[in-house]
């Protein structure tokens, strides 16, 4: 579907500022002809210019871009701790989603029969029943270790395209970005590889919860369910019961040792184990663990391991060919296959790669060169 600027809303906003289109162009750092083309619908601003247009005119995505409600992208962030999602973050992600629509025809056929959680709930018993069924479908018992490969197979089976990205360990607002295109029935999940191994599996499970609950996409209750689902899926009730039994009556030091042992065995964070064991205790009316949440965070921060990117690539940064190969082989992603087909069929430039992946232009140029080989 062709994206066009909502010219009437833009004209009104310009008038309220007392500007002309030429003055707006100057504010945006583009030519007057570029603005004229946007207004006529013969061209569409790139995400960075769309973002600047929105912030300059104080317009949201729905006011700025003419798309039927059913066709508008739905976005959700897995934010970094303490980060706040601002209007500019949402608009940028929406713009990425609008651009990703052009990539969909180049994807391999996505499954139409998908797993869904019809009545998602954070109630302890109901949630445990849901994750028990998911684990069963994965061929995994209550005490089994959930591996990355099993999560990735669920994404592929449910119409989700995983896009591994390297957004840095500190500077980016998000660790993961979920973009649902409801009209196309395709979900793109951007996962930041510059994150700690122990957290990465949790974020994958969090994003899988979004895939299972499209009816909650973009809603606060969707985020609450996704967090609860991820913890329960990675460390369900029976594992939590086992840990609680082992630490009951033990010293605080022994409690920490048991929590750390199970976290290491399951490749998840100490905090995930702690939260799930305490959740089990609360559900049974038992005494909570001796550690406070602050204690757990201190212990975890003392024992941080490697980033996912450090385990996949040596040395860093990876070459474009190694990075694309990892996306295709390690993450079973069709994203670069589709991007290669699009670039070669439509002569798409590096600017598109830069915008839809939210990466520096230098990196986009390197990837584009590999895709056109």
């Amino acid at each position: 579907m062709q994206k066009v600027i909502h010219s009437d809303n833009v004209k009104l906003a310009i008038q309220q500022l007392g500007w002309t289109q030429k003055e707006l162009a100057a504010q945006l750092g583009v030519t007057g002809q570029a603005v004229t083309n946007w207004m006529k619908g013969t061209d569409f601003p790139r995400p960075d210019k769309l973002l600047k247009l929105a912030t300059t005119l104080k317009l949201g995505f729905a006011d700025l871009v003419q798309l039927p409600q059913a066709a508008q992208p739905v976005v959700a962030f897995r934010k970094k701790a303490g980060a706040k999602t601002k209007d500019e973050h949402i608009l940028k992600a929406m713009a990425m989603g609008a651009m990703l629509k052009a990539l969909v025809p180049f994807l391999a056929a996505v499954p139409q029969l998908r797993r869904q959680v019809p009545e998602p709930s954070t109630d302890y018993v109901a949630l445990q029943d849901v994750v028990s069924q998911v684990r069963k479908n994965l061929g995994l018992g209550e005490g089994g270790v959930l591996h990355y490969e099993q999560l990735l197979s669920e994404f592929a089976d449910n119409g989700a395209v995983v896009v591994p990205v390297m957004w840095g360990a500190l500077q980016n607002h998000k660790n993961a970005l979920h973009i649902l295109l409801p009209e196309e029935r395709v979900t793109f999940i951007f996962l930041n590889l510059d994150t700690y191994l122990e957290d990465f599996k949790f974020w994958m499970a969090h994003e899988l919860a979004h895939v299972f609950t499209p009816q909650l996409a973009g809603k606060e209750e969707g985020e609450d369910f996704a967090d609860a689902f991820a913890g329960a899926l990675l460390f369900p009730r029976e594992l939590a019961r086992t840990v609680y039994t082992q630490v009951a009556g033990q010293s605080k030091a022994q409690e920490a040792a048991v929590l750390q042992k199970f976290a290491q065995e399951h490749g998840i964070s100490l905090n995930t184990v702690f939260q799930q064991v305490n959740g089990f205790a609360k559900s049974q009316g038992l005494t909570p663990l001796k550690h406070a949440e602050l204690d757990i965070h201190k212990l975890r921060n003392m024992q941080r391991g490697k980033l996912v990117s450090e385990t996949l690539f040596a040395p860093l940064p990876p070459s474009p060919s190694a990075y694309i190969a990892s996306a295709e082989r390690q993450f079973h992603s069709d994203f670069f296959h589709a991007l290669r087909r699009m670039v070669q069929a439509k002569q798409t430039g590096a600017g598109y790669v830069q915008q839809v992946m939210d990466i520096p232009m230098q990196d986009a140029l390197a990837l584009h060169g590999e895709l056109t080989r």
Side-chain angles (χ1 to χ4, degrees), residues 1-4 66-68 70-72 98 101-102 183-184:
M1 176 178 291
Q2 178 66 32
K3 307 177 298 296
V4 295
Q66 289 193 62
L67 278 178
Q72 290 193 16
K101 285 174 173 283
E183 192 172 56
E184 292 81 2

Side-chain angles (χ1 to χ4, degrees), residues 120-131:
S121 169
T122 56
D123 172 77
Y124 187 83
V125 174
L127 186 62
Q128 292 296 327
D129 288 345
V130 167
V131 300

Side-chain angles (χ1 to χ4, degrees), residues 143-291:
V145 177
L146 181 61
H147 296 287
Y148 294 114
E149 293 79 8
Q150 292 162 310
L151 288 169
L152 288 168
S153 70
E154 281 296 289
F155 286 127
D157 289 346
N158 288 278
V161 179
V162 173
V163 187
V165 289
M166 298 176 70
W167 281 337
L170 296 174
Q171 66 268 32
N172 203 285
H173 152 263
K174 55 198 176 292
N175 282 315
L177 171 61
H178 178 108
I179 301 178
L180 167 64
L181 304 181
E183 192 172 56
E184 292 81 2
R185 297 194 72 218
V186 176
T187 300
F188 290 88
I189 296 173
F190 293 79
L191 293 173
N192 185 12
L193 300 182
D194 292 323
T195 52
Y196 291 107
L197 277 165
E198 64 180 35
D199 295 326
F200 192 66
K201 199 185 295 183
F202 185 93
W203 297 334
M204 290 182 70
H206 175 102
E207 292 304 321
L208 184 60
H210 284 313
V211 173
F212 288 163
T213 55
Q215 69 274 36
L216 295 182
K219 299 178 181 177
E220 198 64 39
E221 55 264 42
E223 292 301 305
D224 293 339
F225 176 77
D227 271 347
F229 173 90
L233 183 67
L234 295 174
F235 209 77
R237 177 170 43 199
E238 290 309 311
L239 279 169
R241 188 196 308 275
T242 299
V243 172
Y244 191 87
T245 301
Q246 290 189 19
V247 301
Q250 301 297 317
S251 68
K252 193 172 181 179
Q254 289 170 316
E255 178 182 284
V258 172
L259 293 175
Q260 289 169 325
K261 170 179 172 288
F262 276 86
Q264 186 174 26
E265 286 178 356
H266 286 263
I268 58 179
S269 79
L270 181 63
N271 186 56
T272 295
V273 176
F274 168 78
Q275 295 292 350
Q276 295 309 306
V277 176
N278 257 351
F280 165 77
K282 183 178 179 180
S283 76
Q284 301 298 308
L286 300 171
T287 304
L289 295 173
K290 294 180 174 65
H291 283 81

Side-chain angles (χ1 to χ4, degrees), residues 292-334:
E293 188 168 342
L294 183 60
D295 299 328
I296 294 298
H297 286 305
K298 287 179 179 178
L299 283 172
R300 185 184 66 172
N301 290 336
M302 289 169 58
Q303 301 174 355
R304 287 292 198 181
K306 288 187 174 183
L307 303 179
V308 176
S309 55
E310 291 175 324
T311 66
L312 289 175
F313 308 115
L316 284 170
S319 67
S321 59
Y323 171 57
I324 292 173
S326 177
E328 295 172 349
R329 295 171 190 167
Q330 300 284 340
F331 292 90
H332 312 293
S333 174
D334 189 44

